[in-house]
């Protein structure tokens, strides 16, 4: 009976996270529009943060509770899901065109950040780990507070570059629907409340379920929690594809992955340094390799259906591998 209750609470947590992110984006966008903030800036910042709010809530809650495995594996799992499943499914619906700016600026930056994170953590692993005796749950590295602070600084610089580029190009996005200031503030507060509560439900229920069925926190964070918190990105990208605006999908995924790596891991590590176990190092290596592969797919004009199928199959393979190890 307790297991059923925890599964229900996990599902309610996901619903609260997604609905909270929607309310937060609507309220924040409306308030920004009232103060004459250009809609393109709203899209680059508030909306992008909104779709990453579930991961932020879960990872920070996990970090504060000392459940560092969930904090890290949630980000790695979400990024893998975004790169392989979200883009793969969208390419399957219709070949994905690649925006030149994303190809030249955003994706290369995301790739560099991903590879650098693996290298920085991997240096210590290579020099101090006995690979003949190491176990998957052995801690082999640490995502320290200084690294977290550097990631947050990079995040702020990235946002500054986006805003500068948007102002320089004078591009406007879709007009933002406005509400009254009071209603906007209420939406923001209610959205934040749901995001925080949803994050607590997800972390607590995921920990209970992992312990009850013998799954590691790393595995449940990499799979169940990561997929649940990535639902906003999946829904947004699929809806865009079905409307014929599937070019938005790549930007949505790349932006979300950068937010996950720099903002969410940065905040989590700054709050509480994150020990990294051997299983998570393997997952980081997979994420780096997958990022390189998808970037190579993006060098053409489109990600085609065959490449989409390959991406989906690789995601299924990574989940099976994570479950079996």
């Amino acid at each position: 009976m307790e297991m059923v209750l925890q599964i229900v609470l996990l599902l309610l947590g996901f619903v609260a996270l997604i609905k909270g992110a929607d309310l937060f984006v609507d309220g924040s966008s409306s308030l920004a529009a009232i103060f004459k903030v250009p809609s393109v800036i709203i899209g680059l910042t508030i909306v992008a943060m909104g779709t990453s709010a579930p991961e932020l809530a879960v990872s920070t809650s996990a970090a504060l509770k000392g459940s560092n495995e969930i904090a890290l594996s949630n980000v790695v799992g979400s990024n893998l899901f975004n790169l392989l499943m979200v883009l793969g499914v969208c390419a399957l619906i219709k070949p994905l065109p690649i925006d030149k700016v994303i190809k030249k600026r955003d994706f290369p930056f995301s790739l560099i950040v991903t590879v650098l994170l693996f290298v920085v953590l991997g240096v210590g692993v290579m020099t101090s780990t006995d690979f003949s005796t190491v176990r998957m749950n052995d801690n082999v590295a640490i995502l320290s507070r200084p690294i977290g602070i550097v990631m947050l600084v990079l995040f702020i610089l990235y946002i500054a570059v986006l805003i500068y580029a948007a102002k320089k190009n004078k591009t406007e996005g879709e007009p933002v629907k406005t509400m009254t200031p009071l209603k906007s503030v209420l939406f923001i507060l209610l959205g934040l409340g749901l995001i925080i509560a949803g994050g607590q439900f997800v972390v607590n229920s995921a920990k209970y379920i992992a312990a009850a069925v013998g799954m590691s926190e790393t595995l449940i964070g990499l799979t169940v929690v990561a997929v649940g918190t990535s639902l906003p990105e999946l829904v947004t990208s699929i809806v865009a594809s079905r409307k014929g605006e599937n070019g938005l999908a790549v930007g949505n995924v790349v932006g979300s992955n950068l937010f996950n790596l720099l903002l969410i891991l940065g905040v989590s590590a700054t709050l509480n340094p994150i020990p990294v176990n051997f299983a998570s190092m393997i997952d980081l290596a997979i994420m780096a390799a997958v990022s390189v592969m998808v970037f190579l797919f993006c060098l053409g004009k489109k990600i085609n259906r065959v490449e989409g199928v390959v991406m989906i199959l690789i995601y299924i393979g990574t989940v099976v591998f994570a479950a079996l190890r």
Side-chain angles (χ1 to χ4, degrees), residues 125-127 129-134 278:
V125 177
M126 295 301 293
T127 56
T129 303
D130 182 355
F131 291 98
S132 63
T133 59
V134 69
F278 190 62

Side-chain angles (χ1 to χ4, degrees), residues 5-203:
L5 175 63
Q6 292 298 330
I7 291 172
V8 170
L9 289 175
L10 181 72
L11 295 175
L12 286 175
F14 286 142
V15 171
L17 285 169
I18 294 165
K19 186 60 182 173
D22 281 343
L23 291 173
F24 174 77
V25 166
D26 289 344
S28 301
S29 299
S30 172
L31 202 61
I34 290 169
F35 288 104
K36 308 299 182 186
V37 176
S39 59
V40 67
I41 305 300
I42 296 170
L44 288 169
T45 55
I46 295 168
V47 176
M49 285 185 187
T51 57
S52 290
E55 286 92 342
L56 180 61
V58 168
S59 290
T60 51
S61 295
L64 288 169
K65 290 174 181 290
S67 300
N68 296 299
E69 291 176 33
I70 291 179
L72 178 60
S73 59
N74 174 40
V75 166
V76 175
S78 292
N79 281 18
L80 283 171
F81 185 83
N82 287 344
L83 284 168
L84 296 174
M85 282 299 289
V86 175
L87 291 185
V89 169
C90 289
L92 208 54
I93 294 171
K94 189 178 180 182
L96 274 171
I98 312 300
D99 183 83
K100 287 182 180 178
V101 175
I102 290 169
K103 191 188 299 186
K104 291 182 179 179
R105 182 191 66 196
D106 302 309
F107 209 141
F109 182 57
S110 176
L111 181 61
I112 289 166
V113 169
T114 302
V115 173
L116 272 179
L117 177 63
F118 173 69
V119 170
V120 167
L121 294 175
V123 168
V125 177
M126 295 301 293
T127 56
S128 62
T129 303
D130 182 355
F131 291 98
S132 63
T133 59
V134 69
R135 293 172 299 178
M136 286 294 173
N137 60 352
D138 287 346
N139 290 331
V140 292
I142 188 162
L143 191 56
S144 64
R145 191 168 277 118
I147 294 175
I149 292 169
V150 169
M151 294 169 88
L152 288 177
V153 170
L154 285 173
F155 174 74
I156 293 167
L157 290 173
Y158 175 68
I159 292 297
V161 167
L162 289 183
I163 293 172
Y164 173 78
K167 285 185 173 180
K168 185 180 178 182
N169 294 328
K170 302 289 185 185
T171 50
E172 266 297 321
E174 291 294 317
V176 176
K177 182 181 173 184
T178 58
M179 302 175 278
T180 64
L182 178 60
K183 190 175 181 182
S184 300
V185 172
L186 287 174
F187 268 49
I188 291 169
L189 294 175
L190 182 57
L192 285 173
L194 286 171
I195 288 167
I196 292 166
Q200 295 285 333
F201 279 152
V202 168
V203 171

